Amino acid sequence: MAVQETRDTWDMAALPAPLPSLKMAAVEKRRPAVAPAASFTDNGRPSVSRAAAAAENEEDFLRQVGVTEMLRAALLKVLEARPEEPIAFLAHYFENMGLRSPASGGAGEPPGQLLLQQQRLGRALWHLRLAHHSQRTAFNNNVSVAYECLSAGGRRKRPGLDGRTYSELLKRICRDGEAPEEVVAPLLRKIQCRDHEAVPRGVFRAGMLTCFVLLDFVARAGALFRLLEAPGLAVADRHVGQAVLDTLEGALGAGDHTAAPACYLEAGSRLGPDSLALALDRAAAGRRPSSPMPREEFLEKAAALFIAKVKPVG
């Protein structure tokens, strides 16, 4: 009996494993690993998974290093400027980001203080051109960014904006605006500051706004002169040109004593087509032989009317 039982046990051990077991093992080897399910706390609420925790850590990191705020500011600039090529606009925006903070000095600082100053002037001018001065909120925001860019300190520069940098920016605005130098020179003499003077934010904003308004004014005056000039010649009849200048002077003087909205309506009516047509008719009716008025003279006289209304700095 013992021998028989031993033989039966040996025969059972010698049999091969069932084929279904081999197939199950092969399937288990090929089955991809499954992420563990979210664990639960003692009170039955699911705990935060590792992926969610990692996402929160990434968001905190972007927020701490300022990337989130930087992207938000960039998108706001795109909405304000609404450029035709947003991608190129953003590329230019991020290219100039390195000069915003005084902490940008050090290894990445351009060699030479003069080069750094020119780069800051270029970046400030770029921000000032993002929005037209008629878009007052966006323009004021851009003026503040430009002021901070120019007044940032460095390894050899104390924080603050001096008169020399401020005056240089005014000159670049007028020069890039393609206004004749002799036209804008009287304005620059009126609103410039001394090189050593500290320029407060209010003076900076007033100077920037005055320059851009003058450039628009000169551009409108140039377009008006093209309507007055003789065909094929760059001159206009002096009596006709002077009649237009007199009408323009009357419109600018309409708001001398009050800032009420009615004064702006009156100024606009004086520059309307009807008022200009009447002035031209009067000039044509009493026309006498006179020397022609060139474009440069017309623009200088028109700009002088505007500059006379500007209060000098200090």
Side-chain angles (χ1 to χ4, degrees):
M1 292 294 295
V3 175
Q4 183 66 28
E5 291 179 358
T6 303
R7 183 179 301 173
D8 294 341
T9 304
W10 183 86
D11 291 340
M12 293 293 294
L15 291 176
L19 291 179
S21 300
L22 294 177
K23 292 183 179 180
M24 290 293 294
V27 171
E28 290 294 335
K29 290 182 179 180
R30 293 195 300 267
R31 181 177 298 174
V34 180
S39 59
F40 289 82
T41 59
D42 296 338
N43 57 6
R45 296 181 180 179
S47 62
V48 180
S49 63
R50 294 182 179 180
E56 290 184 359
N57 293 335
E58 292 173 354
E59 292 179 2
D60 292 340
F61 170 76
L62 295 177
R63 191 180 303 107
Q64 290 174 3
V65 299
V67 174
T68 302
E69 186 63 26
M70 180 184 64
L71 293 176
R72 178 178 178 274
L75 294 178
L76 288 177
K77 291 298 181 184
V78 173
L79 294 176
E80 290 177 359
R82 299 188 181 275
E84 296 182 358
E85 298 181 0
I87 303 301
F89 177 89
L90 287 173
H92 197 179
Y93 178 84
F94 289 120
E95 181 181 357
N96 291 280
M97 284 298 296
L99 297 176
R100 180 170 185 176
S101 173
S104 62
E109 184 176 353
Q113 188 68 18
L114 180 60
L115 176 60
L116 178 60
Q117 185 67 14
Q118 292 299 319
Q119 289 179 340
R120 284 179 171 174
L121 283 171
R123 184 174 183 273
L125 187 60
W126 182 78
H127 274 284
L128 291 172
R129 290 173 174 170
L130 286 179
H132 192 264
H133 60 81
S134 60
Q135 303 173 0
R136 194 55 53 89
T137 301
F139 180 78
N140 289 340
N141 292 338
N142 295 334
V143 168
S144 298
V145 174
Y147 183 84
E148 293 174 1
C149 176
L150 295 176
S151 59
R155 291 188 298 181
R156 297 184 180 181
K157 180 181 180 298
R158 293 182 178 180
L161 178 61
D162 54 26
R164 181 179 181 180
T165 304
Y166 165 73
S167 300
E168 179 64 25
L169 182 59
L170 293 176
K171 293 177 182 177
R172 289 191 60 172
I173 290 174
C174 295
R175 183 185 64 211
D176 296 345
E178 299 181 356
E181 183 178 356
E182 59 275 7
V183 171
V184 300
L187 175 68
L188 295 179
R189 288 193 296 266
K190 219 172 185 182
I191 63 176
Q192 280 180 344
C193 296
R194 297 182 179 89
D195 291 351
H196 62 277
E197 286 183 325
V199 181
R201 189 184 299 265
V203 174
F204 179 80
R205 177 192 173 279
M208 300 300 107
L209 179 62
T210 303
C211 276
F212 282 110
V213 173
L214 176 64
L215 293 178
D216 279 359
F217 185 85
V218 173
R220 302 286 180 102
L224 183 59
F225 182 82
R226 287 193 292 271
L227 299 176
L228 303 177
E229 62 185 0
L233 302 175
V235 296
D237 183 83
R238 182 167 297 274
H239 293 296
V240 174
Q242 190 60 47
V244 174
L245 291 173
D246 293 341
T247 305
L248 184 59
E249 183 178 10
L252 291 174
D256 285 345
H257 306 291
T258 178
C263 72
Y264 299 107
L265 295 176
E266 182 181 357
S269 64
R270 294 190 181 188
L271 289 177
D274 295 338
S275 298
L276 288 175
L278 291 175
L280 294 177
D281 288 341
R282 288 194 297 267
R287 180 177 297 179
R288 299 181 301 274
S290 62
S291 59
M293 176 180 289
R295 179 177 182 273
E296 291 75 14
E297 180 183 353
F298 182 85
L299 293 182
E300 287 184 26
K301 290 185 176 181
L305 297 175
F306 175 88
I307 296 172
K309 307 297 179 182
V310 177
K311 296 180 180 181
V313 174

